Amino acid sequence: MGRPLPADENLEILAASTQLDITGGMLDENPALSICPEAARSFQGQPGLIVRDTDGTPLMPQFSLADVQENADELRLVCTDFVSRITYTAHFAIDPETHVITAKATLTSDRPLHLHWLSAPVLPGPQSADDMIDVSGRWCGEFQLNRTPWSPGIRYRENRTGRTGHEHFPGLIVPCRGATNVNGEAYAFHYGWSGGHRMIAEELPDGRRQIQFGHAAGMDTAPATEFETAPLFAVYSSDGLNGCAVSFQRHLRDRIVTWAKPKAPRPVHYNCWEAVYFDHNLDMLKDIASRAADLGAERFVLDDGWFGQRDDDTSSLSDWEVDPRKYPDGLGPLIDHVQSCGMRFGIWFEPEMINPDSNIHRKHPDWALGADDQILGRQQKALNMALPDVRDFIFDRMATILGAHDIDYIKWDHNRVLPMPDAAQTRGSYALIDRLRTSFPQVEIESCASGGGRIDFGILSRTQRVWLSDSNDALERLKIQHNAALFLPAAVTGSHVGPRRSHTSGRILDIEFRAWVAAQRHMGFEMDPRELDAREQEVLREVTAWWKANRDWMFNADILRLDTADPAVIAEQQLAVDGRRFVVFAGKAATSAQIAPRPLRLTRLDPSARYSISLRNRTSAPALSRGDHILKRGPVTLSGAALMHSGFTLPWSFPETMWVVEGEKL
């Protein structure tokens, strides 16, 4: 994996020229850094496989290459250990357009084995890198980037929560020395699995480096004759972190996601959660829906609280029947009103969970995953999704609701970690989603897990949107979205205009900042529209109208993180696929250290072309922006070379505000 070589390159000579020398304190021959490092071959690092025989005896396989199958874009390597009677198969595929490599490993045997660890095909790490970047986070603070220096030994991260997790997004970026967002070489990796993973980034005593990704250890609890990793997605970039980001964004959007309505524009969402919580009142919801539609919403999502006896989060999960106290005539009257306002209708489910205080738990306590005395999360347990009866029950309840009503969207939540990691749980959830999508192919699904707790390419092969964070605080969102763009395109990334006073941070932010941050991704609203004053309504309508006018080209745009000279500014450039237009969002996240703004340089433009750039929201300049700034007067024309190498300076602004610059190639 790396920069393309000439087609006639002699690979044997290349391999020989990069062979390590031998010196004192080393073995007489360097053990191979292979796609599945074997502990039985004097390899000094972490093995790619840890497995036991049927009776529990540890196996130490030594594989020999048995078969090679290849075509233009795929390679399959079959390796066998005839003594242990185990076969290891590695499959590689490269997409000629996105340049993403997909790698997967399979282990087969003639009798059941106990698997502790199986890595996807192991890839080498660049030795010209000083640091690695991985991703951590928390509830309402997802996609936090960590820079860790390479050093002898391992950077080991393992997620054992049973879901992708806020804390351990399964991604790694390795920038080579001097790389930035827009310049230099970088490598990136993502493990497409929703059930918890292990990542190993190891520097061996001889200086070589290896990168391993697989399921969290011990997740396959039952012996089996075949095991398979999830796909590992890997990419190389010669133009900074953005090269990795663009490849992942395009590959996810164009190769992984299967769109329920591929030709339909992405609708502006309204979600009622932060307006009403569990207090569902039909007349109030109708009023809210009317107001949301007037502001520009095109889909109304009814969140938690419509079923069972669900007045708070302590009861009724799995009792997926409409609450007759709140909806005496069912959901029909609300859906009819929503549709009369010109909006589509969506609904919230949390299918994999169950409250102890529910009819189904009282009838089937054995359906809950884990011990009876387990610690609850949000007053709930997880259902055992490995049980066919459980999946059949959930499918029937959900299909009844979907079949009886004109519903085209599900917000699918997952609000607690599992009591133990178990790959069968994830496979069962995948099977349920696959079955529902087959039966209701026009229904779009959003993956939500207390916000960003289940975001990965595995779940996104079955869903079409993610709820990036439960935080509707635009300042927090600005940072979260910026980092998530290293892996996620705007088309799948939900972002909503939250309440004036954030319910998760208590911070009060202006409507313009909140609206423009939401307009960076798949836009929606999630507040009580009755709180908006006349100015706030006007601003929200204006920004929403702008988003609708631009959403078609922005759906396929590349999100490019800009290198800003001012660390208080978080800026990105969304560039149309044909390169003819772009929009720059420059958010000021804090007070600048210097008094005047610093120039902002763009990227990936045609240096010889001329571009007209204009400040979309120039009338928002505050009184303290006193200069006669050219961008406050109207459009200006500059070359691509000037925009990339000199850049432009934006007017002065307060913290927690956003400048929006539109560009068009002339």
Side-chain angles (χ1 to χ4, degrees), residues 124-164:
Q127 296 183 60
S128 59
D130 296 318
D131 304 302
M132 66 187 86
I133 303 171
D134 57 21
V135 187
S136 63
R138 56 171 174 79
W139 178 70
C140 288
E142 295 86 343
F143 284 93
Q144 306 298 314
L145 302 184
N146 309 295
R147 275 192 179 260
T148 305
W150 282 96
S151 61
I154 64 173
R155 169 70 166 164
Y156 178 109
R157 293 194 63 178
E158 187 161 30
N159 170 19
R160 303 191 65 78
T161 66
R163 64 180 185 181
T164 320

Side-chain angles (χ1 to χ4, degrees), residues 143 164 169 252 257 259 266 269 409-412 444-449 451-470 477 480-481 484 487-496 521-522:
F143 284 93
T164 320
F169 177 78
L252 177 61
V257 175
W259 299 99
R266 303 296 275 154
H269 277 219
Y409 187 83
I410 295 172
K411 180 181 177 181
W412 187 302
E444 184 175 336
I445 300 176
E446 173 188 284
S447 175
C448 176
R454 186 159 62 179
I455 297 175
D456 61 82
F457 287 15
I459 199 68
L460 276 163
S461 68
R462 297 163 170 85
T463 59
Q464 295 80 28
R465 191 181 198 251
V466 295
W467 185 227
L468 191 60
S469 177
D470 274 347
R477 275 274 176 163
I480 295 168
Q481 292 175 178
F487 298 91
L488 304 178
V492 305
T493 307
S495 187
H496 294 174
R521 300 296 184 265
H522 184 189

Side-chain angles (χ1 to χ4, degrees), residues 598-603 605 613 631 636 638-650:
R598 289 177 170 162
L600 183 65
R601 296 192 296 178
L602 306 189
T603 188
L605 301 180
I613 64 168
L631 285 175
V636 300
L638 290 167
S639 69
L643 290 169
M644 290 189 291
H645 300 300
S646 298
F648 54 83
T649 303
L650 289 163

Side-chain angles (χ1 to χ4, degrees), residues 579-618:
R580 300 204 61 82
R581 61 193 307 180
F582 62 83
V583 60
V584 173
F585 297 96
K588 195 167 183 181
T591 302
S592 297
Q594 73 287 342
I595 193 167
R598 289 177 170 162
L600 183 65
R601 296 192 296 178
L602 306 189
T603 188
R604 290 199 175 196
L605 301 180
D606 180 349
S608 62
R610 291 293 187 271
Y611 294 85
S612 173
I613 64 168
S614 60
L615 191 58
R616 174 73 192 188
N617 55 341
R618 61 181 179 271

